[in-house]
Amino acid sequence: MSPRRTRGAIGRGTDFDAHDFGRPARRSRPRTKDRPDYSAARLARVITVDRGRYHCRMVDGDRSALLATKARRLGRRGVIVGDLVRVVGDTSGERGTLARIVEVEPRRTELNRTADDTDPSERPIVANADQLVVVTSLADPPARPGMIDRVLVAGYDAGVRPVIALTKADLADPAGLVALYEPLDVPIIVCAPGSDLSGLRALLAGRVTVLVGHSGVGKSTLINRLVPGAGRVTGRVNDVTGKGRHTSTSAEALALPSVDDREPGWVIDTPGVRSFGLSHVRPETILAAFTDLAGFTTDCPRGCNHHAGTPECGLDEAARRGELSEARLGSFRRVLEAVDRPVTRR
């Protein structure tokens, strides 16, 4: 091979070879389009994530628990609670063993939120949930319908079935809140210490359900009653702020006991949230969470966006006739206006 000829700082017209400078010749590994086939690898469900370690439970066979790490081939792809994953390596689950997650199965559903209504970054909460239980206490801390509405919107957007659970019914009358949400045709469960949870258990059986709500509303207490031995830490509400203390620090999926020989379900406890941003939600999907309002929009003029002040909006007409409460209409428009506005992307 003849030496290369170059020009530059070394001098014009100088002949030299790369080996003259001690650099090894560049070698490249032959590339292939063939990818490893992991379709026969065992399938597991991610039940919690802790500092880069994934606690999983096998879906097939003995359903044993195991600890796994994420394979480098997955890159920056996130793995979250509820994901169904393919694992290889030592899947025995014995102490000191570590399996490896090599594939993430396509998600059926993905529940997301953003930090606030101007944050462009979606934050996945759980994957593959069939059902979403919005947990709110009737007192200590008091119920926040605005929060319920926001979580319902996120649930409908994710394609999961919503349920409302009202806790601490021994401290306040649930009638007002039940009346507010009954028109949605969403199951409403009212709970008090020691109350019968058979209705809730029936709703959860055979499904993957995620519980979402403010801190201090009683999510962990419900989990402990539904799953014997769960041992979720519970906390008290601050007497000054009326807000709960975060007791669940990470999402965790727990297997439910079987009900009437049906396939056992899963319930996912999540950390309490102080806010629930919806910047990832398209405005046109919001009405799906307010099914009691949808019928009044059939008389809206073409192109009506249902905002306050829109001429001849059917929602305003229904409110004037007394068929729609101003409080319910106001709740809808607060959510709509938070999402349907220009957002400065960072």
Side-chain angles (χ1 to χ4, degrees), residues 275-307:
S275 62
F276 207 101
L278 295 174
S279 64
H280 63 291
V281 175
R282 290 174 291 112
E284 56 268 27
T285 68
I286 294 176
L287 197 60
F290 292 81
T291 54
D292 54 327
L293 277 63
F296 300 123
T297 63
T298 56
D299 296 328
C300 287
R302 186 175 181 179
C304 180
N305 60 16
H306 313 307
H307 284 277

Side-chain angles (χ1 to χ4, degrees), residues 195-212:
S195 62
D196 181 19
L197 295 182
S198 58
L200 181 58
R201 293 181 196 277
L203 287 173
L204 303 182
R207 295 186 172 96
V208 178
T209 304
V210 55
L211 272 61
V212 177

